[in-house]
Amino acid sequence: MVYPSEETPRQSLWLSNLDMIIRPPYGHTRHLYIYHPNNNNNNNNNNNNTSTIFDFEILKGALGKALVLYYPVAGRLKMNDNNNRYEIDCNEKGVLFIETETKCTLNDLNDGDQPNYELRKELTAKCDYSKGLSSFPLFTAQITRFSCGGVTLGMTTHHHVADGFGFAQFINCWANLAKGVEPQVKPCHDRALFLGARVPPQVNFEHLEYEPPLPPISPKSLSDEIPSTIGHFFRLSEEQIKTLKLAANSNHVSTFKAIAAQVWRSACKARELADDQDVKLYILVDGRSRLKDPLLPQGYFGNVIYFACCVAKVGELIHNPLCYTISKIDEAVKKMGNSEYLRSSVDSLELLPDLTDRLCGMHRMTCPNLQINSWAKLPFTEADFGPGKPDSVGLGEIYLEGQCKIISGSSEDKSIYVGIRLFKPHMDLFRKYFYDFLEN
């Protein structure tokens, strides 16, 4: 275990409504930072063997320093029985950090054009949840040295502590401290001040994103058996992305909106839903640059994830041009630019007697619902521990039907990868419809 290198505040850290609903408490998010032996992102180090540069003791010492600044990461979750809310017990229990070696090479990380999840699972530390809420660390890291000289740094992060942007901030701070560079941005831990509900709560908008999801629909071919699902990643090259935007009749539409629209339409077709069936899309949106009164400080450490949401009839999406679906997504995302809407969103959660049924889980994603989350602009690839920035940053397996994640390709590749999990009978159809713009 690694502990803060200096004494830190011993306190219970209040969690906002956004911290509480982002996912269930028993689970971590996996990240895999991949550093090739000939790291092209390093201009200062001529050593081709990356594994000799990742000195475990140096990284361990830097991690202890980072935990002084980001002390909630070294704490444990607990339940406040007085208000039935989760909190972080800032008790300096520490984080798990281990190193290991493998006879595999970095080429083994993929099986053809798909991630090799059997291997990748071995590259992050396992958490034991069996001993209860306060027993497991909120962050783990594992260095794995490969026979080819490459290195992976596998991390698990707990979403009640912070979102992807927040943890990227923490990891980049750790990386800088490992090089002897003091972080320029210091974390802010006052969640109640910046994301507490107003008193009294002021709900001035309808919040479709927190209404119950649409009732689940099982595939027609599996109506008499337990549905099974499958995950797959689809690559879009830089040229294919340009072609997709042309199919949308716009060079000005964002890459994300064009891809998200194509994913939603393709999922509707692949799921073989009736034209009059309602479908619901959730899009995760970072509220950091959108919130006002007060503005969030640059170093705010916590969750600032909101859900843009839209509902449409299947027939509207699949029988109209792609630009129609983009317009539906654009309309939903534009609401997120209104700071008052975001404040109202937090207040609406405050009025609920129990946040449990608003948790972001399987029931909010499965057919005919869909959730899209983009990692493409998160600053994970800035984590230079000495040998250079990572060649790529991958994520763990997608487990839930109807969950879609968009990630960037390698540092040299301007491609985008779209990962999605669907019922097995739907995946081949999804592949067909997802690439149909290339045929026109």
Side-chain angles (χ1 to χ4, degrees), residues 113-346:
D113 62 349
Q114 295 300 302
N116 179 353
Y117 283 118
E118 290 305 312
L119 173 58
R120 290 179 181 232
K121 287 176 183 176
E122 301 302 315
L123 305 178
T124 53
K126 296 176 177 62
C127 277
D128 180 6
Y129 304 107
S130 65
K131 296 180 180 179
L133 185 67
S134 301
S135 65
F136 51 83
L138 302 177
F139 175 80
T140 74
Q142 174 180 318
I143 292 178
T144 304
R145 306 182 194 280
F146 285 71
S147 61
C148 61
V151 166
T152 60
L153 187 53
M155 290 174 263
T156 66
T157 59
H158 199 286
H159 233 313
H160 278 47
V161 180
D163 53 23
F165 189 95
F167 264 112
Q169 202 168 264
F170 165 69
I171 293 164
N172 293 339
C173 168
W174 176 22
N176 282 328
L177 289 170
K179 296 181 295 184
V181 177
E182 288 296 316
Q184 294 182 342
V185 177
K186 298 296 174 66
C188 169
H189 300 297
D190 195 342
R191 305 184 186 209
L193 174 62
F194 292 102
L195 276 174
R198 293 172 290 194
V199 181
Q202 302 170 41
V203 181
N204 300 319
F205 298 87
E206 177 187 12
H207 290 283
L208 186 64
E209 62 270 31
Y210 297 133
E211 292 181 5
L214 299 174
I217 299 175
S218 295
K220 294 177 182 177
S221 59
L222 296 178
S223 57
D224 296 324
E225 56 186 270
I226 299 174
S228 57
T229 64
I230 186 172
H232 198 87
F233 274 85
F234 298 91
R235 181 177 181 270
L236 287 173
S237 68
E238 184 179 12
E239 286 303 313
Q240 287 173 332
I241 293 169
K242 290 178 181 178
T243 303
L244 177 61
K245 290 183 177 183
L246 288 175
N249 296 320
S250 175
N251 288 320
H252 304 293
V253 65
S254 73
T255 296
F256 170 77
K257 289 176 184 175
I259 294 175
Q262 184 68 0
V263 167
W264 196 18
R265 293 175 87 236
S266 301
C268 288
K269 294 176 183 178
R271 286 168 161 176
E272 299 181 309
L273 299 170
D275 281 1
D276 61 352
Q277 171 66 48
D278 283 330
V279 287
K280 191 171 186 178
L281 176 67
Y282 299 88
I283 296 174
L284 277 66
V285 176
D286 183 4
R288 279 173 170 76
S289 63
R290 297 171 166 89
L291 277 167
K292 300 175 183 176
D293 303 322
L295 290 168
L296 256 64
Q298 185 179 359
Y300 182 85
F301 188 64
N303 285 279
V304 200
I305 298 298
Y306 292 85
F307 293 89
C309 185
C310 45
V311 173
K313 299 288 186 184
V314 168
E316 296 173 353
L317 300 181
I318 67 175
H319 296 308
N320 280 305
L322 180 62
C323 58
Y324 176 84
T325 306
I326 291 174
S327 71
K328 296 289 290 185
I329 292 173
D330 189 55
E331 180 183 346
V333 172
K334 277 183 177 178
K335 290 181 182 178
M336 302 293 110
N338 182 345
S339 178
E340 177 55 35
Y341 183 91
L342 301 183
R343 295 291 178 191
S344 172
S345 175
V346 172

Side-chain angles (χ1 to χ4, degrees), residues 213-215 271 280 282 363-371 402:
L214 299 174
R271 286 168 161 176
K280 191 171 186 178
Y282 299 88
H363 65 296
R364 303 187 75 81
M365 303 177 195
T366 196
C367 179
N369 306 284
L370 187 74
Q371 179 184 290

